[in-house]
Amino acid sequence: MDAHPTDVSAAARLAGPDEAISQEELALAARNHGLPLEALRYEITPPGLHYVLTHYDIPAADAGTWRLEVRGRVRRALTLDMAALRSFPAVTRRVTIECAGNGRALLSPRPVSQPWLVEAVGTAEWTGVPLRTLLDEAGAEPDAVEAVFTGADHGVERGVEQDYQRSLPLAVATGADPQVLVAYAMNGDPLPPQHGFPLRLVVPGWYGMAQVKWLREISLTDEPFTGFQQAVAYRLRQDAEEAGTPVTRIEPRALLIPPGFPDFMSRTRVVRPGPVRLEGRAWSGRPPVTRVEVSTDGGGSWTEADLAPPDSQRWAWQHWHSAWTATPGPHVLSARATDAGGHTQPLGQPWNRGGFANNLIQRVGVLCCEADA
Amino acid sequence: MDAHPTDVSAAARLAGPDEAISQEELALAARNHGLPLEALRYEITPPGLHYVLTHYDIPAADAGTWRLEVRGRVRRALTLDMAALRSFPAVTRRVTIECAGNGRALLSPRPVSQPWLVEAVGTAEWTGVPLRTLLDEAGAEPDAVEAVFTGADHGVERGVEQDYQRSLPLAVATGADPQVLVAYAMNGDPLPPQHGFPLRLVVPGWYGMAQVKWLREISLTDEPFTGFQQAVAYRLRQDAEEAGTPVTRIEPRALLIPPGFPDFMSRTRVVRPGPVRLEGRAWSGRPPVTRVEVSTDGGGSWTEADLAPPDSQRWAWQHWHSAWTATPGPHVLSARATDAGGHTQPLGQPWNRGGFANNLIQRVGVLCCEADA
């Protein structure tokens, strides 16, 4: 019997009631990585601390031979090398990007996939060409409705061999705010390989699946894209049979920098009695965040934190802080963000089969105790 | 009853026979990260792809106020700021560093700790001052036997609150080959926070636990250091009661770049029938690697690979490659390194309670099949 790529590729599934993390989930956790939560201290996430999720392999790429094709329902197809892309006026935007699957491993039942806890986020300054500039240059035909983006990463997923592809409605692709970027620099340097070298999409306010890395083609289409990553994956569904609704904008979330110091294995924090500054970052794909509240009793009561106003970088996270007087004993710390649209974080899990857009409130276990003599 | 840091810190343990990865192990896997194996293609690992293990938190550090103290059994105690360190003649060395716990999660029974598979490695060019230069400047007293290195990272581990500390015998600390570095740059840039900004130790040939990050003190002592990371952790033991032997030099290992393309979830590889180039890197803490063999049948038979000769950078990994003609069906690919001292990689697991220095041969599952029509 002939072998097929589908032989190594299983259907999506939920973990059983007592099923712990599998070797396959662990292999993904070892490759990909989150933001160590103490790195929330940096307004701009330094290289290597920003979260990374790669569906397949990080492709080998040569900036000298890289070409971006703009084609499909356009009046003039374009083939752009890196020099051509750099010849357009560049813009730089500070953007917070979060993985759509952030929080998945805390769900019950747990969707079996990349097992994020709460740390799949980061903020960078991305520099590139506005996508609308390139589409103006190419000239969209009147019947164009979507832009389909193709990356150079290739693999199999739930039985489907594919290049990574996602689309955006043309109105989003050419929108003024947020402005979608075709980016070639991160924090002032060429993109690192794992962030899409030499070229990627940056869609402010959207979850990570929209931010196509290793971008090699943009194609305008006269009908909605129905590829795997658009119509099968990244849908909000309660049942496997549903068509579901697409994952788009980032739900509001606040994270706090775990105070004190950790135990190596449990990551439980130790703080001393007395004043403790609690601080962190909060963001939403429908900015700004308008309120952050803090709880030091596991969500029983909440205090409003001091929240930095949204500045000109409205697609980036906002800093917040709050004072706490720690008393001896165990505590559970949490923070909760609410955005301008009134969306807030739930205390109960927002469950769906993919574990997407899940902004369950963070819980940080802390033990307050005196220093040993 | 008073709370103590020990209340959040459990003893070392082995996983039960059917025990899968715990949430605590997952939290470590989400924070720390390995080298995605396709990144073995880079001779020098780009920032963010080099493995990272942080015992506690990445400390906040200000290069402007950072001081390195050199003290203890020296004739002249030194307090060095970054400018003073940069005023010494700098050296740059290409060094492969591997975590002592690499491979741990593949062991049976599995020691419960950071659950590495095979990817905890990376190679960088480190620039700094030879440690022997600083110790010459301070002048070791005749009774000095060890140098103890203290990092700024602070936490609790198996009940012991501590700054991260490790020692080296004075002969190693002042040795000519390998030359230990007090490094302030990685690949030509200031150290990233997660790699020890602004200052770290680099001990070529030794596992990662010796490479003290966020280095703030070097103290010469007249007796061997017995701190936690030296006398309790990082020992090779079969039984918990043994004193054990210290973990020091890196055991030989070869890794191959998984060929073809992966399934997202299983990471199984798909290749097409015909010629496939197999390649990867090999290293040893007792360099050079003198032989790499490749198996395409799960270790049943072995073929010698073409191995790059050790160059002047003898503390860095060596490239190897081998030709394979893939035939339809499933295969298991492996590579095996042997070093100049005749040390090689075992087919059976080299087990100890900490899961240290475990260089079990890598196994890469591959399915060879025709492209679907």
Side-chain angles (χ1 to χ4, degrees), chain B residues 53 87 96 113 123 177 190 202 260 321 341:
Chain B
L53 178 83
S87 72
T96 295
S113 185
T123 296
D177 189 35
V202 173
H321 66 96

Side-chain angles (χ1 to χ4, degrees), chain B residues 224-247:
Chain B
F225 177 62
T226 58
F228 178 89
Q229 303 293 350
Q230 202 81 25
V232 180
Y234 295 113
R235 311 287 289 192
L236 302 173
R237 295 186 181 95
Q238 294 297 312
D239 293 304
E241 296 70 30
E242 287 177 61
T245 57
V247 177

Side-chain angles (χ1 to χ4, degrees), chain B residues 329-347:
Chain B
H331 304 274
V332 174
L333 309 182
S334 296
R336 165 168 84 184
T338 302
D339 68 20
H343 305 90
T344 191
Q345 293 183 249
L347 270 171

Side-chain angles (χ1 to χ4, degrees), chain A residues 3-5 7-10 20-38 41-42 46-49 53-61 105-106 112-117 119 154-159 161 192-194 258 260-270 272 329 367-370 372, chain B residues 3-5 7-10 20-38 41-42 46-49 53-61 105-106 112-117 119 154-159 161 192-194 258 260-270 272 329 367-370 372:
Chain A
H4 293 279
D7 298 347
V8 299
S9 193
I21 299 294
S22 64
Q23 284 275 330
E24 291 191 349
E25 289 166 289
L26 178 60
L28 285 171
R31 281 179 59 76
N32 299 308
H33 69 89
L35 176 90
L37 293 179
E38 65 272 26
R41 76 167 73 102
Y42 308 108
L49 296 176
L53 178 82
T54 308
H55 276 246
Y56 313 122
D57 282 1
I58 298 166
L106 296 170
V112 174
S113 184
Q114 164 69 36
W116 294 121
L117 298 167
E119 62 293 276
H154 183 89
V156 191
E157 199 161 347
R158 296 194 234 157
E161 185 179 333
Q194 70 273 28
F261 54 86
D263 174 59
F264 170 73
M265 194 66 224
S266 70
R267 306 316 290 179
T268 304
R269 313 297 300 191
V270 177
R272 306 302 182 202
L367 182 69
C368 175
C369 56
E370 303 283 355
D372 285 328
Chain B
H4 293 280
D7 298 348
V8 297
S9 193
I21 299 294
S22 64
Q23 284 275 330
E24 291 191 348
E25 288 166 290
L26 177 60
L28 286 171
R31 281 179 59 75
N32 299 308
H33 69 89
L35 176 90
L37 293 178
E38 66 273 27
R41 76 167 73 102
Y42 308 109
L49 295 176
L53 178 83
T54 308
H55 276 245
Y56 313 121
D57 281 1
I58 298 166
L106 296 170
V112 174
S113 185
Q114 165 69 36
W116 294 123
L117 299 166
E119 64 292 277
H154 184 89
V156 192
E157 199 162 346
R158 295 194 236 158
E161 186 179 332
Q194 69 273 28
F261 55 86
D263 174 58
F264 171 73
M265 194 66 223
S266 70
R267 306 318 288 178
T268 304
R269 314 297 301 192
V270 176
R272 305 302 182 204
L367 181 69
C368 175
C369 55
E370 303 284 355
D372 284 328

Side-chain angles (χ1 to χ4, degrees), chain B residues 16-263:
Chain B
D18 296 322
E19 184 182 336
I21 299 294
S22 64
Q23 284 275 330
E24 291 191 348
E25 288 166 290
L26 177 60
L28 286 171
R31 281 179 59 75
N32 299 308
H33 69 89
L35 176 90
L37 293 178
E38 66 273 27
L40 287 164
R41 76 167 73 102
Y42 308 109
E43 175 74 30
I44 306 294
T45 311
L49 295 176
H50 194 292
Y51 99 90
V52 172
L53 178 83
T54 308
H55 276 245
Y56 313 121
D57 281 1
I58 298 166
D62 175 353
T65 59
W66 197 266
R67 296 293 181 274
L68 175 65
E69 305 281 345
V70 183
R71 40 167 292 185
R73 305 300 302 151
V74 294
R75 287 194 294 277
R76 288 173 303 282
L78 308 176
T79 300
L80 301 164
D81 61 16
M82 294 302 294
L85 286 159
R86 288 175 185 276
S87 72
F88 290 99
V91 301
T92 296
R93 292 285 180 276
R94 187 178 302 178
V95 179
T96 295
I97 301 179
E98 182 178 9
C99 186
N102 200 12
R104 179 185 287 125
L106 296 170
L107 296 178
S108 177
R110 184 181 78 250
V112 174
S113 185
Q114 165 69 36
W116 294 123
L117 299 166
V118 297
E119 64 292 277
V121 68
T123 296
E125 295 206 323
W126 303 98
T127 300
V129 189
L131 176 58
R132 58 195 310 201
T133 302
L134 299 182
L135 295 181
D136 278 352
E137 186 83 3
E141 293 283 6
D143 61 356
V145 296
E146 286 200 351
V148 179
F149 305 92
T150 304
D153 42 335
H154 184 89
V156 192
E157 199 162 346
R158 295 194 236 158
V160 182
E161 186 179 332
Q162 59 191 285
D163 293 333
Y164 189 87
Q165 289 189 302
R166 285 276 309 180
S167 75
L168 290 172
L170 199 60
V172 174
T174 59
D177 189 35
Q179 199 173 55
V180 178
L181 291 189
V182 174
Y184 46 73
M186 180 184 189
N187 301 343
D189 289 315
L191 300 179
Q194 69 273 28
H195 288 291
F197 180 85
L199 207 60
R200 70 173 296 168
L201 209 60
V202 173
V203 188
W206 286 54
Y207 280 114
M209 77 281 148
Q211 327 278 337
V212 178
K213 292 181 282 192
W214 311 293
L215 182 66
R216 59 176 183 74
E217 187 186 286
I218 301 170
S219 182
L220 299 196
T221 59
D222 58 5
E223 52 185 26
F225 177 62
T226 58
F228 178 89
Q229 303 293 350
Q230 202 81 25
V232 180
Y234 295 113
R235 311 287 289 192
L236 302 173
R237 295 186 181 95
Q238 294 297 312
D239 293 304
E241 296 70 30
E242 287 177 61
T245 57
V247 177
T248 57
R249 297 283 186 121
I250 297 173
E251 297 295 327
R253 189 193 292 268
L255 288 179
L256 62 84
I257 300 174
F261 55 86
D263 174 58

